Amino acid sequence: MQLQENQLFASHYRLERLLGRGGFSEVWLAHDETADVRVAVKVYAPGRGLDDDGADLFRKEFKIVFDMNHTNLLRPNYFDVVDNMPYLVMPYVERGSTTKMIGRMPEAEVWRFVRDVASGLAYLHAKEPPVIHQDIKPDNVMLMNDGTYVITDFGISTRARSTLRKSVNANTSAGTQAYMGPERFSKQPAPIKASDVWSLGATVYELMEGDAPFGNFGGINQKSGAEIPDINGAYSEELKELVYACLSQETWDRPTAEQLSKYCTKHID
């Protein structure tokens, strides 16, 4: 079942407009005809769905997500599976993602962005076991009406992503290459907490400079010897050094998400 405008999805979500499409999911603006509100519906494996084992895996995965509650996480309101397509119902964020801010974010706003995203990551990383986001990028950070930045698309494990890739025959990795640190291209590429910090650094660099630090190649270029390109915009040396630290090639040289959050808080009026 291919999704299309004006379709009634899962009995009471009237699909209005496609907001975004990834390797194995689509996000739609929809009207909840039961509650009479606009929502964002994220559908995984749209059109073909998963097998029964894959759908069951998603049910188990999202039990973890619904226990999470933090100011800087866009927490789903509802999860279900229809026609073997897992889907999430989330608040509709009218201001959208930070993609539209690429290359034009002023310094004061950058400090707030890093503080908010790092705070959300610190919360995820403090879970037992830690939750690694794996895909921090401008498209996965939303701007709320009150100016708060929130992380979306969290709580999907490497195992669940692998299930999705096999289902839709997508030749994509667990993450987006431009924002993947050098350790993600090693013999042991499993993401760790520091991998999220590198992704945050790459995201902030792009918001400041207009392009990711290593283009579409990400940390694989850094692993091959490329140096971090200079930040040339009108930003303080302190902010630039913070971004460079996040992009350190060695994972142990990067600050933790908690350290970032506390450090940035001191620079916000």
Side-chain angles (χ1 to χ4, degrees), residues 55-147:
D56 288 341
L57 171 61
F58 259 74
R59 287 189 178 93
K60 294 175 182 177
E61 290 283 330
F62 281 103
K63 285 181 181 179
I64 301 173
V65 174
F66 281 97
D67 288 336
M68 297 181 186
N69 188 18
H70 189 275
T71 302
N72 301 112
L73 299 180
L74 186 65
R75 184 172 176 267
N77 294 329
Y78 184 72
F79 167 75
D80 205 348
V81 178
V82 61
D83 294 332
N84 273 24
M85 293 183 291
Y87 70 93
L88 291 172
V89 179
M90 301 174 290
Y92 170 53
V93 181
E94 189 173 353
R95 296 178 72 172
S97 77
T98 55
T99 302
K100 60 183 176 295
M101 305 176 77
I102 288 174
R104 58 187 187 88
M105 184 176 279
E107 173 149 348
E109 198 65 22
V110 173
W111 285 110
R112 281 189 286 271
F113 178 91
V114 179
R115 190 272 312 271
D116 286 1
V117 177
S119 295
L121 287 176
Y123 175 85
L124 294 174
H125 293 173
K127 291 295 180 180
E128 190 56 50
V131 175
I132 312 300
H133 186 283
Q134 305 186 50
D135 201 17
I136 292 293
K137 57 185 178 181
D139 196 45
N140 282 335
V141 181
M142 314 295 283
L143 179 59
M144 305 298 286
N145 286 335
D146 65 357

Side-chain angles (χ1 to χ4, degrees), residues 16-17 29-32 36-40 90-92 94:
E16 295 185 2
R17 175 167 53 92
L29 171 63
H31 179 251
D32 184 337
D36 193 22
V37 294
R38 290 177 117 188
V39 296
M90 301 174 290
Y92 170 53
E94 189 173 353

Side-chain angles (χ1 to χ4, degrees), residues 141-205:
V141 181
M142 314 295 283
L143 179 59
M144 305 298 286
N145 286 335
D146 65 357
T148 301
Y149 294 97
V150 294
I151 301 170
T152 187
D153 203 26
F154 59 92
I156 305 176
S157 71
T158 300
R159 184 182 172 198
R161 291 176 190 270
S162 177
T163 297
L164 282 167
R165 287 196 302 276
K166 292 175 182 176
S167 172
V168 301
N169 296 317
N171 187 25
T172 57
S173 58
T176 304
Q177 185 165 319
Y179 310 94
M180 292 167 64
E183 69 278 1
R184 300 294 305 279
F185 303 94
S186 65
K187 291 182 179 180
Q188 296 180 320
I192 57 176
K193 296 176 185 179
S195 303
D196 279 347
V197 172
W198 198 96
S199 300
L200 174 56
T203 295
V204 176
Y205 186 103

